Amino acid sequence: MAFETAQSVLLSGIVLGSLYALMATGLSLVWTTLGIFNFAHGIFMTIGAFIAWQVGTDLGWGLGPAAGIALGVAALVGVGCLSEFLLVRPFLSRSGIVMLVVITTLSATIFLENSTLLIWGARYKQMPPLIEGKVELLSTAISAHEVLMIAIAPLTLLTLWVFLKFTRIGSAIRAVSQNQESALLMGMNVPLLYSIAFGLSAGLAGFAGILLGSIRFITPGLGNEPLVKALIVAIFGGLGSLGGTIGAAYIIGLVEAISTFFIGLYWTPAILFAGMIVVLLLRPTGLFGKK
Amino acid sequence: MDDILIVEKACKSFGELRAVREISFTVDAGEIFGIAGPNGSGKSTLFNLITSIPYPADSGRVLFGGKAIHRMRANRICRAGVARTFQKETAFDTLSTIENVMLGSVYGHERPDTPTAQRRTREALAFVGIAEDQYGRPAGELSVFDKKRLMLASALATRPRLLLLDEPASGLTKPEIDETIELLRRVNAEGVTVLVIEHVLPLLLTVSNRLMVLNQGQELTTGRPDDVVRDEHVIEAYLGSRGKDDGRDS
Ligand SMILES: Nc1ncnc2c1ncn2[C@@H]1O[C@H](COP(=O)(O)OP(=O)(O)OP(=O)(O)O)[C@@H](O)[C@H]1O
Ligand SMILES: [Mg+2]
């Protein structure tokens, strides 16, 4: 295979990996903290993209990309906190909470997807790239927007790590994810911490959606496929390990890029699922998960 | 004397099972109040109701320092000055000993600044007697005695006026039990009112001013420890469940 081809496959793998890392980390944060899967994570991504389009582009309010990103992410943090309150909190003390939340978040997805259809219509939207032009990277031409994605994903995740590791609220979120009773014993406001974790997670999804909205058309279904990928990544990486999730995101991005190039787009999901099943058979806790 | 805690007709059921049935009692400020009873008699459930960790009572009232706390959220009750430990050693296992207690100092009280919180953390750890070389270790790796003391230090770091201890001596060796007794007395001498559940009867008899015995979710009797152990209902309840009682603790 030609050297350039290898490089372009590698780069598109890293772009995908960056996107999945942002998505799956949010999903995984909610899983570790609350012990539930949020199936509305994909629609959060879609709404982030729509809001940024509305606020930022000339077809919307034309306030520019910076305002679009800021408002898009902020709105999603709010949507996340509200969703925790409506979809999760009423069931917190129930024993069947995991299944109940699957149902509430799937219902919310249908509701929100149709709402975006009502608000923004069925016509495809597109955002201009955040940076125009192309960059020569590893002797391959790649759009500047994609370079930005490659750079910005690790930075965002680093910020999240610093927040979780070094701030009071961050360490409380890590703590509550380990042991709810101890958290209560020490006077932590557990529901509030849940709400913050959910808000952060939704903010990450919204941000990922905005980045994706510049390289794909924005439709009400924009987040569906990334949600499935993020689920695969989170499970593959070992539930509960944020580091493992990020590692898995890049591995899956690369596998997807390679498989798409050599085997074809339609076979790729099957290959990913097969890979995930094999990994789970060999290591039930995922690739990086602890026992 | 002042009543620091008043429990009125507290009830809690799990389906058909009435774990706590209309228990009422009063605790004086400054005393050590013991609670005994056979396995499954509702002792831990009673602590759960008072602290709302993890659930409040189905009905009944709980007053702390004259204020109703039975509808308050667990973190508010903690900040109001009620702390507890659990029967099973409970901690943030991957966080270090000192980080665990630090969280108690920070969240158990209204926004202390960081130096104050750090000072209180060290004070609490020194008070319970955990060796300094254990401060940096993950809580999950500590010895049983240190885990119990860590739980106590985390509770003390929230600066309680009322402390609820659920079987602080279970699983400890004789010298460790003696140290625990001495520790309870020192906590009490600091002005903290103590409620203590225990199966190790000698501990209860030595430390408590008053003793309440529960059986099948109900109060059997309350009084001075010497009188209580001679009460025939108590003897019956204990002898009647001796077999179960010796294989303590699930
Ligand atoms: N969450 C729960 N769900 C169902 N039943 C429960 C629950 N918690 C406690 N019980 C039951 O309520 C009764 C009282 O339990 P509790 O833990 O209060 O007893 P205890 O006096 O602390 O006993 P032990 O000495 O074994 O600690 C027991 O029969 C127990 O099985
Ligand atoms: Mg108990």
Side-chain angles (χ1 to χ4, degrees), chain A residues 36 38 46 48 73 81 88 98 102 106-107 113-114 118 149 160 162 171 174 180 214 228 250 265 271 290:
Chain A
I36 53 155
N38 169 25
T46 311
V73 172
C81 294
V88 183
V98 176
V102 169
L106 277 177
S107 323
E113 211 172 297
N114 284 300
L118 277 178
M149 278 174 75
L160 177 72
V162 169
S171 60
R174 282 189 304 137
Q180 213 201 86
S214 304
V228 174
Y250 286 98
L265 193 58
I271 285 168
K290 291 187 218 84

Coordinates of all heavy atoms in Angstrom, one line a residue, chain A residues 36 38 46 48 73 81 88 98 102 106-107 113-114 118 149 160 162 171 174 180 214 228 250 265 271 290:
Chain A
I36 N -25.4 4.2 35.5 CA -26.5 4.0 34.5 C -25.9 4.4 33.1 O -24.9 5.1 33.0 CB -27.7 5.0 34.7 CG1 -27.2 6.4 34.9 CG2 -28.5 4.5 36.0 CD1 -28.3 7.4 34.5
N38 N -26.8 6.4 29.6 CA -27.6 7.5 29.2 C -27.8 7.3 27.7 O -26.9 7.7 26.9 CB -27.0 8.8 29.5 CG -27.7 9.9 28.8 OD1 -28.9 9.8 28.5 ND2 -27.0 11.0 28.6
T46 N -26.6 15.9 18.9 CA -27.3 16.6 17.8 C -27.8 18.0 18.2 O -27.6 18.9 17.4 CB -28.6 15.7 17.5 OG1 -28.2 14.3 17.4 CG2 -29.2 16.2 16.3
G48 N -26.6 19.9 20.4 CA -25.4 20.8 20.5 C -25.1 21.4 19.1 O -24.9 22.6 19.0
V73 N -22.5 24.6 24.0 CA -22.0 23.8 25.1 C -22.8 24.2 26.4 O -23.2 23.3 27.1 CB -20.5 24.0 25.3 CG1 -20.0 23.2 26.6 CG2 -19.7 23.4 24.1
C81 N -28.3 18.7 33.0 CA -28.8 18.8 34.4 C -30.3 18.6 34.5 O -30.7 17.8 35.4 CB -28.4 20.2 35.0 SG -26.7 20.5 35.2
V88 N -33.7 10.7 35.7 CA -32.9 9.8 36.5 C -33.3 9.9 38.0 O -33.6 8.9 38.7 CB -31.4 10.0 36.4 CG1 -30.6 9.1 37.3 CG2 -31.0 10.0 35.0
V98 N -31.4 0.7 36.5 CA -30.6 0.7 35.2 C -31.6 0.5 34.0 O -31.5 1.3 33.1 CB -29.6 -0.5 35.3 CG1 -28.9 -0.6 33.9 CG2 -28.6 -0.2 36.4
V102 N -32.8 3.2 31.0 CA -32.7 2.9 29.6 C -34.0 3.4 28.9 O -34.0 4.0 27.9 CB -32.5 1.4 29.4 CG1 -32.7 1.0 27.9 CG2 -31.1 0.9 29.9
L106 N -34.2 6.6 26.4 CA -34.6 6.3 25.0 C -35.9 7.1 24.7 O -36.0 7.6 23.5 CB -34.9 4.8 24.9 CG -33.7 3.9 24.6 CD1 -34.1 2.4 24.5 CD2 -33.0 4.3 23.3
S107 N -36.8 7.2 25.6 CA -38.0 7.9 25.3 C -37.7 9.4 25.1 O -38.2 10.1 24.2 CB -39.0 7.9 26.5 OG -39.1 6.6 27.0
E113 N -35.6 14.1 19.4 CA -35.3 14.0 18.0 C -36.5 14.7 17.2 O -36.3 15.4 16.3 CB -35.2 12.6 17.6 CG -34.2 12.4 16.5 CD -33.9 10.9 16.3 OE1 -33.3 10.2 17.2 OE2 -34.2 10.4 15.2
N114 N -37.7 14.4 17.6 CA -38.8 15.0 16.9 C -38.9 16.5 17.2 O -39.4 17.2 16.3 CB -40.1 14.2 17.4 CG -40.2 12.9 16.7 OD1 -40.3 12.8 15.4 ND2 -40.3 11.8 17.4
L118 N -39.1 19.4 14.5 CA -40.1 20.5 14.4 C -39.5 21.9 14.4 O -39.9 22.8 13.7 CB -41.0 20.4 15.7 CG -42.2 19.4 15.7 CD1 -42.9 19.4 17.0 CD2 -43.1 19.8 14.5
M149 N -9.7 19.3 15.5 CA -10.3 18.3 16.3 C -9.3 17.4 16.9 O -9.4 17.0 18.1 CB -11.2 17.4 15.4 CG -12.6 18.0 15.1 SD -13.5 17.0 13.9 CE -14.0 15.6 14.9
L160 N -10.8 18.1 31.7 CA -11.7 17.3 32.5 C -10.9 16.6 33.6 O -11.4 16.5 34.8 CB -12.4 16.3 31.6 CG -13.4 15.3 32.3 CD1 -14.6 16.1 32.8 CD2 -13.8 14.1 31.5
V162 N -8.0 17.4 35.0 CA -7.6 18.3 36.0 C -8.8 18.6 36.9 O -8.6 18.7 38.1 CB -7.0 19.6 35.3 CG1 -6.8 20.7 36.4 CG2 -5.7 19.3 34.6
S171 N -13.2 16.0 43.0 CA -12.8 14.8 43.9 C -14.1 14.3 44.5 O -14.2 13.1 44.8 CB -11.8 15.2 44.9 OG -12.2 16.2 45.7
R174 N -15.6 12.0 41.9 CA -14.8 10.7 41.9 C -15.2 9.9 43.1 O -15.4 8.6 43.0 CB -13.3 10.9 41.9 CG -12.8 11.3 40.5 CD -11.3 11.3 40.5 NE -10.8 12.2 41.6 CZ -9.8 11.9 42.4 NH1 -9.1 10.7 42.2 NH2 -9.3 12.7 43.3
Q180 N -21.5 5.4 47.5 CA -22.5 6.4 47.8 C -22.7 6.6 49.3 O -22.9 7.7 49.8 CB -23.8 5.9 47.2 CG -24.7 7.1 46.7 CD -26.1 6.6 46.6 OE1 -26.9 6.6 47.5 NE2 -26.5 6.2 45.4
S214 N -19.5 20.3 11.5 CA -18.8 20.9 10.4 C -18.2 20.0 9.4 O -17.8 20.4 8.4 CB -17.6 21.7 11.0 OG -18.1 22.6 12.0
V228 N -23.8 4.8 19.1 CA -23.5 3.4 19.1 C -22.0 3.2 19.3 O -21.5 2.3 20.0 CB -24.0 2.7 17.8 CG1 -23.6 1.3 17.7 CG2 -25.5 2.8 17.8
Y250 N -9.4 5.8 20.5 CA -8.5 5.9 19.4 C -8.3 4.6 18.7 O -8.1 4.6 17.5 CB -7.1 6.5 19.9 CG -7.3 8.0 20.2 CD1 -7.5 8.5 21.5 CD2 -7.3 9.0 19.2 CE1 -7.7 9.8 21.8 CE2 -7.4 10.3 19.4 CZ -7.6 10.8 20.7 OH -7.8 12.1 21.0
L265 N -17.3 0.3 4.0 CA -18.1 1.0 5.0 C -19.1 0.1 5.7 O -19.3 0.1 6.9 CB -18.8 2.2 4.4 CG -19.4 3.2 5.3 CD1 -18.3 3.8 6.2 CD2 -20.0 4.3 4.4
I271 N -17.5 -5.6 12.0 CA -16.2 -5.9 12.4 C -15.9 -5.4 13.8 O -15.4 -6.0 14.7 CB -15.1 -5.4 11.4 CG1 -15.1 -6.3 10.2 CG2 -13.8 -5.3 12.0 CD1 -14.4 -5.7 9.0
K290 N -10.3 -2.8 35.2 CA -9.8 -3.6 36.3 C -10.8 -4.6 36.7 O -12.0 -4.5 36.3 CB -9.5 -2.6 37.5 CG -8.3 -1.7 37.1 CD -7.9 -0.9 38.4 CE -7.6 0.5 38.1 NZ -8.6 1.4 38.0

